[in-house]
Amino acid sequence: MRYIDSIIAGFGGQGVMLIGNLLAYAGMKDGLNVTYIPVYGPEMRGGTANCTVVLSEEDIGSPIIHKPKSLIAMNRPSLDKFQSRVEDGGIHIINSSLVDMELADQDRLKCYAVPCNDIADKLGNTRMANMVAIGAFVEASKIISIDAVIGSLENVISERYHKLIPANTEAIKAGAETVS
């Protein structure tokens, strides 16, 4: 059975909500049931922001996640806040551009050091670090296809920014390559 739940966290402005939204759309495109809960608050710019996503072949009983099977930590405060909650053996995507990998619980979790900001910089736009992270997550978890994620970009990126879909596609693929 295909199932994963995840917390995605980072600074406000890092595109954390976009990652969650994109995962939800891609999950639906791949035929899964999904829940997506964004956590908004004073975190919007600069503080920490997070969302939860559940992807499942079966009905989802509750969108609340106490012990997630995975975590995408885009910054150090997110790692500090959520890493201890991830279930043993869970997938942990860490933005190693901003987080020292010595802080990762590599004995308990499947940790992937992904230099999201560095890769996005090389591709020409630091703001695509979130796309690098989702590419790495999808490749590590195998829960949905990269094609479903790429095919869902038009659903989550406003029409006036559709010209950026090819660059975002490249960032997703680059992220996937870091864990393959």
Side-chain angles (χ1 to χ4, degrees), residues 16-82:
V16 167
M17 302 305 172
L18 183 61
I19 295 172
N21 203 5
L22 184 54
L23 270 177
Y25 269 98
M28 288 186 290
K29 189 176 274 290
D30 247 16
L32 296 174
N33 295 308
V34 305
T35 63
Y36 162 67
I37 300 177
V39 178
Y40 294 102
E43 304 91 7
M44 291 298 285
R45 283 266 173 212
T48 58
N50 70 86
C51 64
T52 61
V53 177
V54 179
L55 303 170
S56 178
E57 282 182 323
E58 296 185 0
D59 290 343
I60 299 169
S62 172
I64 306 301
I65 303 171
H66 296 289
K67 285 290 269 182
K69 294 184 179 299
S70 60
L71 170 65
I72 299 173
M74 294 296 289
N75 63 5
R76 166 83 186 266
S78 299
L79 177 97
D80 293 344
K81 183 173 183 178
F82 295 110

